[in-house]
Amino acid sequence: MTLNSIRTEVIIIGAGAAGLMTAISAASRGRKVTVIESHHKLCEKIRISGGGRCNFTNLGACAERYISQNPHFIKSALRTYTQEDFINLVERHNIKYYEKKLGQLFCKESSQEIINMLLKECSDLGVSIIYPCKVQSINQLEENKFQIKAEHLKDKSRLELYSESLVMASGGLSIPQIGASDFGYRIAKQFNLNIIEPKAALVPLMSLDSERNFYKSLSGVSIDSICTYKRTKKQETSFRENILFTHRGLSGPAILQISSYIDDEDSINIDLLPEKNNLVDELKSFTKNPKFSKKFLINILKENYSEIAEKFYDSFAETYKCKLKNRLATYSHGFLDTLANKLKSWAFTNQESEGFNKAEVTRGGIDTNELSSKTMAVKNNPNLYFVGELVDVTGWLGGYNFQWAWSSGYVAGQNC
Ligand SMILES: Cc1cc2nc3c(=O)[nH]c(=O)nc-3n(C[C@H](O)[C@H](O)[C@H](O)COP(=O)(O)OP(=O)(O)OC[C@H]3O[C@@H](n4cnc5c(N)ncnc54)[C@H](O)[C@@H]3O)c2cc1C
């Protein structure tokens, strides 16, 4: 079996968004860079992102749209390499893009264009990418000397690499089918770094078993809503976008967003009629109006509050044995109060999330207290770096996670 010994200046583990941006940034300073990737394809997450069109950044990227135990940590990298910087790179490569909604920028053609752009930059700058390659061990021989033993999975040759700096960019745990692994966390533990428990985020939620049939009966129905999670009386987080009923519970952008803030068994409230601020009064006033009072309540709901799909009212009435099929005049104001409150503040309990197989990202990760926000290096080990999703920084849905990968990668590359 052949043994190849490689001496380089920077080794990066993981050829995803953050790893390749680190490579480009470091190589553009003249550093000799080698990237090691375990999967047989490069940048798989970029390829499948944004429904194949890669939502590569967000015009509104700012620290407030990220979740971390230290929300200030993010600011420096986002300031150093901004969304405009990445947009300039995209434009230099003549990639056509558009804003879909809420500042979210997508490729017009395909996410492959972003991959091609990153690989072209790497190749022009002489970055060497070795894949598929399994890292067997990482050792720090001296402060500025790392030794990586690995096996090339194609020809089974053994590699021994030496570098001054090591950058961990091996990503989080979501979608193991395309290469996600816990490798970065294991290396962090080897170097005695604290880890904030990794959890699935931007992920569909599962209803309680007892309520599953209701959600299943509405599978495919989408409603514009406001989802709110009240952590404490004073602290709450809300997102207004669509929710989507699934066979197991709820998904859709508003649910994915709120999922990053909640845990198993937490409850959220959903305003299914966000435009109707006086629903109770409106329903009560209908009882006095002969045009409405003789109509069946369910028909009034379907006709006047059609923002909620008709199917919802039918399933709601049936599953919860809620009598909606009588004439409006027969209902007490108390009943209408309860009904309006239910529609304005639907309670959904998350039995558990659908987990890493369905999650767009992993929240938690390397504790930011261990890292310098200016360089992404470990504070007490300045030649070891962690970037991208591995770090305890999680963006909202909408291009924020890639922007974090670009910003943190760029900063590490300028320093490693
Ligand atoms: C379905 C889906 C859609 C998404 N869409 C968007 C979107 O449109 N916009 C957005 O902002 N974010 C999106 N995201 C999130 C975004 O893809 C990630 O936040 C981003 O890719 C993180 O970059 P990273 O480089 O840190 O990790 P990754 O892109 O996951 O890269 C890590 C790399 O390390 C490799 N690796 C793992 N273990 C090892 C090892 N032991 N040795 C060597 N290499 C290893 C992996 O194979 C991978 O190539 C999406 C995620 C998913 C799953």
Side-chain angles (χ1 to χ4, degrees):
M1 207 182 286
T2 46
L3 172 68
N4 294 318
S5 183
I6 299 170
R7 271 162 217 282
T8 185
E9 288 171 332
V10 180
I11 290 177
I12 299 167
I13 310 287
L20 292 189
M21 181 51 89
T22 311
I24 293 163
S25 169
S28 64
R29 290 168 47 232
R31 298 287 275 167
K32 196 173 169 207
V33 180
T34 302
V35 185
I36 301 177
E37 165 62 49
S38 57
H39 200 56
H40 61 280
K41 281 186 176 167
L42 301 174
C43 304
E44 272 297 85
K45 261 195 202 156
I46 300 180
R47 193 180 58 76
I48 63 168
S49 68
R53 290 222 165 90
C54 186
N55 176 193
F56 55 80
T57 191
N58 193 296
L59 294 172
C62 60
E64 290 70 30
R65 290 170 184 189
Y66 290 85
I67 305 158
S68 169
Q69 296 230 329
N70 175 6
H72 301 292
F73 180 84
I74 306 139
K75 292 179 181 167
S76 176
L78 283 187
R79 234 183 358 246
T80 308
Y81 192 82
T82 64
Q83 52 272 46
E84 284 77 27
D85 290 321
F86 193 77
I87 293 167
N88 287 340
L89 180 62
V90 166
E91 288 180 352
R92 275 207 308 281
H93 283 257
N94 294 318
I95 297 172
K96 300 277 173 285
Y97 62 89
Y98 68 104
E99 180 184 347
K100 195 172 179 186
K101 57 174 180 176
L102 305 169
Q104 302 167 3
L105 301 189
F106 283 74
C107 295
K108 266 198 174 145
E109 295 282 316
S110 142
S111 41
Q112 188 62 43
E113 292 174 291
I114 299 290
I115 302 175
N116 294 347
M117 172 187 85
L118 296 170
L119 293 178
K120 166 103 176 47
E121 289 277 323
C122 282
S123 137
D124 288 353
L125 291 161
V127 172
S128 153
I129 305 178
I130 305 175
Y131 75 105
C133 182
K134 186 174 164 47
V135 176
Q136 286 155 334
S137 67
I138 292 181
N139 289 300
Q140 188 169 18
L141 307 177
E142 292 161 31
E143 189 181 292
N144 61 353
K145 191 168 183 187
F146 290 89
Q147 179 201 52
I148 282 100
K149 289 187 180 171
E151 182 192 17
H152 204 299
L153 296 175
K154 256 191 199 147
D155 60 11
K156 302 287 174 205
S157 60
R158 286 195 299 125
L159 301 169
E160 225 167 73
L161 300 102
Y162 295 89
S163 69
E164 291 166 15
S165 299
L166 174 68
V167 184
M168 293 301 304
S170 54
L173 297 171
S174 52
I175 324 282
Q177 307 89 297
I178 54 166
S181 78
D182 67 349
F183 188 65
Y185 308 118
R186 281 192 271 133
I187 296 304
K189 277 189 196 140
Q190 180 187 327
F191 285 93
N192 295 318
L193 303 180
N194 189 40
I195 294 169
I196 310 294
E197 186 190 352
K199 290 183 183 168
L202 297 182
V203 62
L205 304 177
M206 293 206 271
S207 71
L208 296 173
D209 285 339
S210 56
E211 299 184 337
R212 194 65 53 86
N213 282 342
F214 171 71
Y215 290 92
K216 199 170 170 183
S217 72
L218 288 168
S219 168
V221 167
S222 172
I223 300 174
D224 171 29
S225 310
I226 299 176
C227 289
T228 303
Y229 173 57
K230 281 197 177 83
R231 183 177 297 281
T232 62
K233 266 192 182 156
K234 283 188 182 156
Q235 241 191 340
E236 63 172 48
T237 306
S238 290
F239 290 96
R240 174 157 185 187
E241 277 202 73
N242 280 13
I243 61 165
L244 173 70
F245 288 80
T246 71
H247 277 87
R248 286 176 288 271
L250 288 175
S251 184
I255 292 295
L256 297 183
Q257 297 280 33
I258 212 84
S259 75
S260 299
Y261 291 83
I262 69 170
D263 286 310
D264 294 351
E265 296 174 18
D266 277 342
S267 291
I268 56 173
N269 290 96
I270 305 173
D271 182 349
L272 296 163
L273 288 167
E275 295 295 325
K276 304 284 178 202
N277 289 326
N278 293 314
L279 184 63
V280 185
D281 294 341
E282 207 167 278
L283 282 176
K284 285 179 187 168
S285 73
F286 285 169
T287 60
K288 293 179 199 134
N289 183 338
K291 192 177 135 208
F292 291 104
S293 60
K294 289 199 179 112
K295 279 192 166 186
F296 296 114
L297 175 56
I298 195 156
N299 291 339
I300 293 175
L301 293 171
K302 286 181 183 179
E303 284 162 21
N304 293 278
Y305 305 108
S306 55
E307 300 92 324
I308 302 182
E310 285 194 9
K311 222 174 152 186
F312 177 90
Y313 296 115
D314 293 327
S315 290
F316 173 46
E318 185 161 332
T319 315
Y320 295 103
K321 308 281 175 257
C322 176
K323 295 187 179 63
L324 300 179
K325 292 187 177 159
N326 297 329
R327 294 186 197 280
L328 179 64
T330 65
Y331 292 95
S332 68
H333 278 190
F335 179 90
L336 296 178
D337 266 337
T338 312
L339 175 65
N341 282 335
K342 255 202 172 318
L343 298 178
K344 289 294 287 176
S345 187
W346 184 267
F348 175 86
T349 302
N350 170 37
Q351 181 165 289
E352 57 181 321
S353 82
E354 290 205 27
F356 288 111
N357 285 340
K358 290 285 170 66
E360 268 199 23
V361 287
T362 304
R363 67 177 146 138
I366 315 308
D367 187 341
T368 54
N369 284 323
E370 304 278 12
L371 306 175
S372 153
S373 62
K374 298 214 161 38
T375 65
M376 302 304 294
V378 173
K379 280 178 187 163
N380 63 8
N381 194 346
N383 293 306
L384 174 62
Y385 298 77
F386 287 82
V387 293
E389 204 178 306
L390 254 185
V391 179
D392 172 34
V393 172
T394 307
W396 284 5
L397 187 75
Y400 298 98
N401 285 297
F402 276 133
Q403 186 57 45
W404 171 246
W406 316 134
S407 298
S408 59
Y410 177 84
V411 165
Q414 288 298 294
N415 290 279
C416 64

